[in-house]
Amino acid sequence: MSEKVKLIGCFGSTAVHRAEVALRLKSVPLELVVEDLTNKSDLLLTHNPIYKTVPVLLHGHRPAVCESLIIVEYVDEAFDGPPILPSDPLDRADARFWARFLDDKCWKAMWVALWTEPGETQAAWAREAKENMTLLERQLPEGKNFFGGDAIGFLDIAVGGIAHLLGVFEEIAGVRLLAEEDHPALCRWAREYLSDETVRQCVPDRDSVLVALAARKELYVSTAKAMTAEK
Amino acid sequence: MASEKSSSDLTLLDFWVSPFGQRVRIALAEKSLPYEYVEEDLLAGKSDRLLQSNPVHKKIPVLLHGGKPVNESLIIVQYLDEAFPDTPSLLPADPYARAQARFWADYVDKKVYDCGSRLWKLKGEPQAQARAEMLEILKTLETELGDKEFFGGEHGFGFVDAAFAPFTPWFMSYEKYGEFKVAEVAPKIAAWAERVGKRESVAKSLYSPDKVYDFIGVLKKMYGIE
């Protein structure tokens, strides 16, 4: 299996992180193409015309695989190496469910809580974000380091952004959502996740991430506003 | 919608007209899996069993297998493929084809119901925007379907077909509220809708467009929408 693998991504993206961790867990040699999302390349627009965003996986001559969680499942099925999804069908359904919960509910609440001006609305979203984190935290198996058990699995990869990027967003926004006193298990998980050998290859140094993401603050504020306008 | 006691120990908590529940009914029928169907009267309130089985979202469909819940329609359909590997699968075998099937089912999930709801809930400019989006969605799906008999292509009737088929009785309502014809905007989708409608698993899981239209009328009254 020596077909070229290209991952179109960008700096400091929770979604791209998932795809990269999955590929590195399977020891897939890959070429990382870093996009400037304010000036999207033809490569990106051609391969993801529907959503026009990253990550996008190009494997050999195949057309693109898009959407981070779909990419992770593809990588699990297409490449040899340690399994990412659990083997039991009920466990797989659970992992998929919580990954969707994370994206649909958890990140939405966190995002709005981070970037909305202080006030009753922001406080309500922050409360919801913390409740969602509690629900998520309960999915950690008793006495295990990871959602996947002894090794990193699908849900760890899905939640990965909380480990290395949430803290950066919190610092830029001046808002604290994840705290040791409220979510000790989730905080411990984050430390375990970040000390994993494979994950470390995918996490650039915090200072450079902070600088890059701080420049996008206005964009974050407007995406948060758009989210509250929906539904 | 058989309510036979299930020998495969499957129970489905559902709501008659829900397109999401219908996906699961279609999958169960494609696999010839017997199950107990439980109608949740959502307009009257949610049962304790539903609230316990899906405490996070409190929504149907919920599949109970040996009492253990599986939630979210597309997750349930994949679960059925994986838990009953000796039945006809909805996802194809090849990893790349599976990724594509998941992508398009997810696209249907993200787009169709929400846009359709805005069509019948809103008026004026926001409704016009919903209409434009719906046409875009149908044309995009038309391009993806192309000249294939089913979205599943070589695999035959598959994951994306099961994901999208339950929306076909909603076309008439979208057409009425949006003032367009699916047959004109996306003729291949219209033809596909007719084809899938004749498939046994689909025919016995869906309700008529008239019933769906009437149901929307009931919802509008509930929400106080003219």
Side-chain angles (χ1 to χ4, degrees):
Chain A
M1 180 72 76
S2 55
E3 289 173 286
K4 276 187 67 174
V5 174
K6 206 181 264 195
L7 180 66
I8 310 176
C10 73
F11 198 64
S13 156
T14 55
V16 173
H17 174 78
R18 292 167 171 176
E20 199 187 340
V21 170
L23 286 160
R24 299 220 190 266
L25 271 174
K26 300 281 195 181
S27 304
V28 176
L30 70 119
E31 181 193 338
L32 208 50
V33 174
V34 181
E35 284 282 324
D36 170 7
L37 292 184
T38 60
N39 184 19
K40 294 174 182 178
S41 70
D42 285 338
L43 183 72
L44 173 59
L45 297 173
T46 322
H47 287 291
N48 192 355
I50 306 279
Y51 300 117
K52 305 178 175 53
T53 192
V54 292
V56 175
L57 180 69
L58 297 167
H59 179 196
H61 299 295
R62 294 169 194 74
V65 182
C66 305
E67 295 293 282
S68 62
L69 296 177
I70 293 176
I71 292 174
V72 174
E73 289 222 40
Y74 173 75
V75 168
D76 201 24
E77 292 172 358
F79 299 99
D80 294 327
I84 294 175
L85 271 142
S87 51
D88 175 72
L90 211 52
D91 293 337
R92 292 164 74 90
D94 260 355
R96 287 172 178 141
F97 174 85
W98 289 104
R100 269 202 68 152
F101 170 78
L102 179 74
D103 277 353
D104 293 347
K105 295 268 186 180
C106 222
W107 266 114
K108 176 173 176 171
M110 292 191 298
W111 202 245
V112 178
L114 281 166
W115 308 112
T116 303
E117 276 156 30
E120 190 43 55
T121 311
Q122 191 277 343
W125 282 101
R127 268 194 305 275
E128 187 179 325
K130 289 178 189 175
E131 281 162 17
N132 289 342
M133 284 196 259
T134 301
L135 286 173
L136 193 60
E137 193 180 49
R138 287 199 195 129
Q139 303 316 305
L140 282 163
E142 191 75 43
K144 298 282 182 185
N145 285 335
F146 301 111
F147 289 101
D150 294 318
I152 282 180
F154 185 72
L155 192 51
D156 300 278
I157 296 175
V159 184
I162 288 185
H164 85 281
L165 284 172
L166 180 58
V168 176
F169 292 134
E170 286 174 330
E171 191 174 324
I172 299 167
V175 172
R176 197 77 202 280
L177 293 173
L178 179 60
E180 192 80 38
E181 57 267 26
D182 298 326
H183 299 100
L186 196 56
C187 290
R188 190 177 2 102
W189 166 84
R191 286 191 292 272
E192 285 294 340
Y193 180 79
L194 289 176
S195 58
D196 176 87
E197 215 182 296
T198 308
V199 170
R200 277 210 305 249
Q201 294 173 51
C202 307
V203 176
D205 79 282
R206 198 180 185 278
D207 289 336
S208 53
V209 176
L210 183 59
V211 166
L213 269 44
R216 295 182 199 164
K217 187 174 176 181
E218 260 178 57
L219 173 67
Y220 296 158
V221 170
S222 65
T223 53
K225 270 208 183 87
M227 278 174 165
T228 45
E230 296 166 12
K231 291 204 187 111
Chain B
M1 271 75 42
S3 281
E4 330 150 352
K5 247 328 188 246
S6 95
S7 54
S8 57
D9 211 7
L10 291 167
T11 302
L12 178 64
L13 308 183
D14 204 344
F15 182 62
W16 64 281
V17 73
S18 161
F20 305 99
Q22 286 164 342
R23 288 167 171 173
V24 181
R25 284 176 248 166
I26 291 171
L28 287 161
E30 287 284 322
K31 292 166 181 295
S32 306
L33 288 168
Y35 64 100
E36 185 195 354
Y37 178 92
V38 175
E39 176 74 11
E40 289 278 333
D41 185 2
L42 296 180
L43 301 186
K46 295 175 181 180
S47 73
D48 285 340
R49 176 148 71 157
L50 172 59
L51 295 175
Q52 276 162 26
S53 308
N54 190 354
V56 176
H57 299 300
K58 307 177 177 56
K59 282 183 176 172
I60 57 92
V62 178
L63 181 77
L64 295 162
H65 187 192
K68 298 206 174 108
V70 183
N71 298 309
E72 305 275 306
S73 61
L74 294 181
I75 292 177
I76 297 172
V77 173
Q78 286 189 83
Y79 173 78
L80 288 171
D81 260 10
E82 292 169 357
F84 298 94
D86 296 332
T87 62
S89 65
L90 282 160
L91 276 166
D94 171 69
Y96 179 74
R98 290 162 72 84
Q100 289 313 294
R102 286 179 176 129
F103 178 87
W104 286 105
D106 179 63
Y107 178 85
V108 170
D109 241 15
K110 278 185 177 47
K111 302 277 186 182
V112 180
Y113 190 77
D114 284 349
C115 184
S117 296
R118 277 183 283 132
L119 255 183
W120 57 260
K121 273 184 185 165
L122 306 175
K123 297 259 182 315
E125 184 50 45
Q127 189 192 38
Q129 208 181 324
R131 179 187 184 276
E133 275 178 49
M134 183 53 85
L135 297 190
E136 172 82 33
I137 291 166
L138 289 168
K139 286 180 186 152
T140 302
L141 288 166
E142 169 110 339
T143 306
E144 170 54 24
L145 177 66
D147 293 316
K148 302 199 290 283
E149 186 187 5
F150 296 116
F151 283 95
E154 282 169 19
H155 179 78
F157 182 90
F159 193 63
V160 182
D161 300 282
F164 190 33
F167 290 98
T168 54
W170 293 71
F171 286 179
M172 187 192 89
S173 300
Y174 298 157
E175 286 172 333
K176 280 198 169 158
Y177 284 100
E179 290 174 4
F180 65 89
K181 290 276 175 217
V182 176
E184 282 163 18
V185 165
K188 291 177 180 170
I189 293 292
W192 166 86
E194 216 173 321
R195 272 197 303 280
V196 288
K198 296 197 177 97
R199 199 173 170 88
E200 198 190 329
S201 64
V202 175
K204 71 182 195 181
S205 304
L206 305 189
Y207 285 88
S208 71
D210 284 329
K211 286 232 157 75
V212 170
Y213 186 75
D214 290 343
F215 175 71
I216 291 175
V218 169
L219 284 183
K220 284 181 75 158
K221 272 212 187 75
M222 260 178 57
Y223 292 135
I225 304 170
E226 255 315 290

